[in-house]
Amino acid sequence: MQILGWVLKVLLMCSVLGMFSVTSVAQERPLSQAPICFEADRLVLQEFKAKILKDTTEILASWMGKDCCGGDWEGVVCNPATGRVTGLALQRPDRELGMYMIGTLPAALGNLHFLEVMVISGMKHITGPIPESLSNLTRLTQLILEDNSLEGSIPPGLGHLSLLQTLSLGGNRLKGPIPPSLGNLRNLLVINLGKNSVSGPIPPTFISFLSLQSLDFSFNLLSGFIPDALVRSQNLTYIDLSNNQFSGKFPISICGLANLQDLSLSHNQLTGTIPEQIGGLRSLNSLKLSEMDSQIRLPIILGRGIPSLLSIDLSYNNLSLGTVPNWIKDRPLSNVNLAGCKLRGALPKFTRPDSLSSIDLSNNLLTDGISSFFTNMSSLQNIKLSNNQLKFDVSEIRFPDGLASIDLHSNQITGSLSSIINNRTSSFLEALDVSGNHFSGEIPEFTEGLSLKVLNIGSNKITGHIPSSISNLIELEMLDIQRNQIAGTIPTSLGLLSKLQWLDVSVNSLTGKIPTSLLGIRGLRHANFRANRLCGEIPQGRPYSIFPGSAYAHNLCLCGKPLPPCRGKNQANLGQ
């Protein structure tokens, strides 16, 4: 997806910069000669604005007055010589998750006859169908409607947009087959239909794509064989067909794409042997073949070919590798994913550990070798060794400084959490999961500046109390301390974790009340206080009043909705 995003940005930038270059030239003219917005185009934009019932991006708030080409209407680009709208680019910033638009796309958008670029992206709550009228926009080169909630089928009329270079409809709720008419888009460079519910086969007309660079159909319901002549474009650098229902053999035609850099066929039902011709993909950087059919077999050529390979994912294929092959250990890879490959014995020793940024060896039968495993892994950001048989004291390990996530759950690890969480803990660490081990001791104090979003220490032997310094984890979204031996009260400072979405303190020895300060955590979606020694009235407000009674069961004397009402003030105040 990173390459696809890069391609989209480059294409959009080129188109929009082209428009703005015309605009800058026109600005040298006297203001009296600059035409104002063409009235018919302005009315279309006003109709679009009227169909948006709520706009937290505040983009449309700038759409005021009669001149949509004056530069004040955010996202609107015009041809300064004619006053016709040539670009509509409404894109939510990637990090601004709270921004969105609620509404639908009006059919009137098809009347912007001079439009060359349409980007309505990341608005999350724009629903309804893609208007059939968009097939009238014959000047369109970029159509990007990704990451909304658009419904219905893909309009076959989009196949009439002969100048289209980018078609990105990913991340919506589209259904039905892929229209064969899309094969008419001979100038297409990028097509993204990923993350929808599109079904049926890939149309055979797609062999017409002679210039295509990026194809993403991932996370759909597509089925049938992957066409042996999927595309004939030697410009293809990115193919993602993962998470579908494709069957049959590995498409040998893909092996002839000399410029291919990223290939993902994971989570399908392909069978047989991966053809030896795959070694001809000399430009391949990333190969993802996880969770294929149990009979899939790897060719020996994988160990000798593909010199540019940087990322490999062969997880959950019942490969029974036994040990990590030398051709993987000896390469300067950045990502290695061999989860569920029946690896046994010691953890592998990589020849180029400094190149590794992500390792997933989870769900194997690994037992030892941890003491030297992290040596010289200076670039490591993500490590996943969960569901193995590793047995060691965590105090013996020095984790790399730049780790963003550590997943060691379901092993036999002993020691104290303070060996991982202390005043030397990196601010890069965002996720820590050591659940299902034999950790003991107390929960350490949390210093300011930590970036933890996930903290899962459940199912260990941890004692002590929840420190009030938990409030320093201001980015925390998930806190799971279930099934330990933690006593004391729930600190009121926990209510300061405004981003918390998941809270599980069940099966411990907590006493006192559930603090009313927790009502300040508005976004909480899951909470479990079961099987403690809590008492008093449950905080009466959302979301605590709508969690099921089982979330509060088997405590000393909790009362109030959703449990039976408290019997007078005495019971309500018990636990204080």
Side-chain angles (χ1 to χ4, degrees):
M1 291 301 293
Q2 290 179 342
I3 287 183
L4 177 57
W6 177 82
V7 171
L8 291 174
K9 288 177 181 177
V10 169
L11 290 172
L12 179 61
M13 187 180 298
C14 291
S15 297
V16 173
L17 286 178
M19 297 178 200
F20 280 114
S21 64
V22 176
T23 304
S24 62
V25 171
Q27 286 175 345
E28 297 177 1
R29 303 177 181 177
L31 290 177
S32 59
Q33 297 181 21
I36 63 172
C37 175
F38 195 77
E39 179 64 10
D41 290 354
R42 187 186 71 83
L43 292 176
V44 170
L45 297 176
Q46 288 287 12
E47 187 165 346
F48 170 80
K49 182 178 180 179
K51 289 288 186 178
I52 301 301
L53 306 179
K54 187 174 182 179
D55 174 23
T56 66
T57 70
E58 299 185 353
I59 292 175
L60 302 183
S62 67
W63 289 17
M64 303 290 289
K66 292 188 175 182
D67 188 5
C68 66
C69 295
D72 295 329
W73 287 40
E74 186 176 348
V76 178
V77 179
C78 298
N79 183 328
T82 63
R84 303 305 300 255
V85 174
T86 55
L88 178 61
L90 310 177
Q91 190 168 16
R92 176 181 60 84
D94 290 341
R95 297 184 180 181
E96 300 296 333
L97 299 180
M99 292 186 176
Y100 56 85
M101 291 183 182
I102 297 177
T104 57
L105 300 181
L109 286 173
N111 294 326
L112 293 174
H113 297 295
F114 288 81
L115 201 65
E116 298 174 19
V117 172
M118 179 186 289
V119 180
I120 302 174
S121 169
M123 296 306 173
K124 300 298 182 184
H125 301 295
I126 293 183
T127 60
I130 297 173
E132 294 273 357
S133 61
L134 296 190
S135 61
N136 297 328
L137 303 178
T138 55
R139 289 179 169 84
L140 211 59
T141 62
Q142 320 292 329
L143 178 58
I144 302 174
L145 302 176
E146 62 188 17
D147 295 328
N148 296 297
S149 294
L150 297 170
E151 303 155 342
S153 58
I154 300 171
L158 297 183
H160 300 315
L161 304 178
S162 59
L163 300 181
L164 207 61
Q165 298 176 18
T166 300
L167 176 61
S168 184
L169 308 177
N172 285 288
R173 299 174 182 174
L174 301 172
K175 297 180 179 180
I178 300 175
S181 59
L182 296 187
N184 297 328
L185 303 176
R186 304 294 177 86
N187 292 307
L188 209 60
L189 302 178
V190 174
I191 182 167
N192 176 13
L193 306 180
K195 297 181 181 178
N196 280 289
S197 296
V198 179
S199 57
I202 296 177
T205 55
F206 277 31
I207 63 172
S208 302
F209 294 148
L210 301 180
S211 302
L212 200 66
Q213 298 176 10
S214 177
L215 182 149
D216 187 347
F217 291 167
S218 61
F219 291 92
N220 276 292
L221 302 172
L222 296 169
S223 58
F225 296 162
I226 298 175
D228 198 40
L230 175 63
V231 285
R232 293 185 292 174
S233 172
Q234 287 298 310
N235 297 320
L236 261 171
T237 61
Y238 184 97
I239 295 179
D240 191 347
L241 301 177
S242 64
N243 293 275
N244 278 288
Q245 300 170 11
F246 291 117
S247 58
K249 295 183 178 180
F250 188 101
I252 194 170
S253 60
I254 286 180
C255 300
L257 301 175
N259 294 309
L260 194 63
Q261 297 178 15
D262 289 76
L263 173 61
S264 179
L265 302 177
S266 297
H267 298 266
N268 280 291
Q269 301 164 21
L270 302 182
T271 58
T273 302
I274 297 173
E276 291 205 357
Q277 289 90 330
I278 196 171
L281 296 177
R282 312 292 289 180
S283 300
L284 200 64
N285 297 148
S286 175
L287 177 62
K288 297 180 180 179
L289 302 175
S290 66
E291 294 199 45
M292 310 278 273
D293 187 90
S294 60
Q295 301 302 314
I296 202 78
R297 295 186 297 277
L298 301 177
I300 297 176
I301 193 69
L302 265 181
R304 301 194 300 267
I306 317 182
S308 59
L309 196 64
L310 297 175
S311 177
I312 184 76
D313 185 352
L314 302 175
S315 58
Y316 302 109
N317 279 311
N318 289 324
L319 291 173
S320 299
L321 291 178
T323 58
V324 177
N326 288 334
W327 66 269
I328 291 179
K329 291 191 294 184
D330 294 341
R331 286 174 179 266
L333 297 171
S334 60
N335 300 291
V336 175
N337 189 338
L338 298 176
C341 288
K342 297 185 179 178
L343 299 172
R344 298 175 179 273
L347 290 161
K349 292 185 178 180
F350 294 96
T351 304
R352 291 288 306 275
D354 57 318
S355 69
L356 290 161
S357 64
S358 178
I359 304 174
D360 186 352
L361 301 177
S362 60
N363 291 279
N364 282 294
L365 302 168
L366 298 167
T367 55
D368 52 31
I370 192 71
S371 59
S372 60
F373 180 69
F374 292 107
T375 303
N376 296 325
M377 289 189 180
S378 55
S379 301
L380 195 64
Q381 298 177 24
N382 303 289
I383 181 64
K384 192 170 185 179
L385 300 175
S386 58
N387 280 299
N388 277 286
Q389 298 173 10
L390 296 170
K391 188 176 182 179
F392 61 90
D393 190 308
V394 71
S395 64
E396 302 171 3
I397 308 304
R398 175 64 188 268
F399 293 101
D401 292 335
L403 279 174
S405 68
I406 301 173
D407 187 351
L408 302 174
H409 81 263
S410 301
N411 279 286
Q412 302 173 41
I413 305 171
T414 58
S416 171
L417 279 176
S418 59
S419 296
I420 304 177
I421 301 174
N422 48 55
N423 56 13
R424 299 185 307 276
T425 301
S426 170
S427 60
F428 293 110
L429 187 62
E430 295 184 352
L432 175 63
D433 187 347
V434 294
S435 60
N437 281 287
H438 304 304
F439 279 83
S440 57
E442 299 186 357
I443 300 175
E445 296 289 338
F446 300 100
T447 59
E448 294 182 0
L450 295 177
S451 301
L452 273 173
K453 296 181 179 179
V454 174
L455 178 59
N456 188 348
I457 60 174
S459 299
N460 280 285
K461 300 177 181 179
I462 297 170
T463 57
H465 64 282
I466 304 172
S468 59
S469 59
I470 190 82
S471 60
N472 286 328
L473 302 181
I474 57 176
E475 301 295 328
L476 202 63
E477 299 174 4
M478 175 184 179
L479 175 62
D480 193 330
I481 63 171
Q482 64 171 307
R483 298 185 181 277
N484 280 287
Q485 301 163 24
I486 298 169
T489 61
I490 300 174
T492 58
S493 60
L494 192 64
L496 297 175
L497 302 181
S498 59
K499 296 183 180 180
L500 204 63
Q501 300 178 28
W502 179 288
L503 174 63
D504 195 333
V505 300
S506 63
V507 198
N508 279 288
S509 300
L510 295 169
T511 57
K513 296 184 66 174
I514 299 175
T516 56
S517 64
L518 270 60
L519 290 170
I521 309 176
R522 299 292 185 182
L524 201 63
R525 299 176 182 175
H526 170 90
N528 193 348
F529 301 91
R530 184 178 65 87
N532 280 284
R533 300 172 61 192
L534 298 168
C535 203
E537 185 176 28
I538 295 168
Q540 293 303 291
R542 295 178 67 91
Y544 299 93
S545 57
I546 62 172
F547 290 137
S550 59
Y552 305 98
H554 305 294
N555 274 286
L556 195 60
C557 50
L558 285 177
C559 58
K561 189 177 181 180
L563 298 182
C566 299
R567 297 190 300 273
K569 292 184 178 180
N570 288 338
Q571 186 186 12
N573 293 327
L574 282 172
Q576 288 185 336

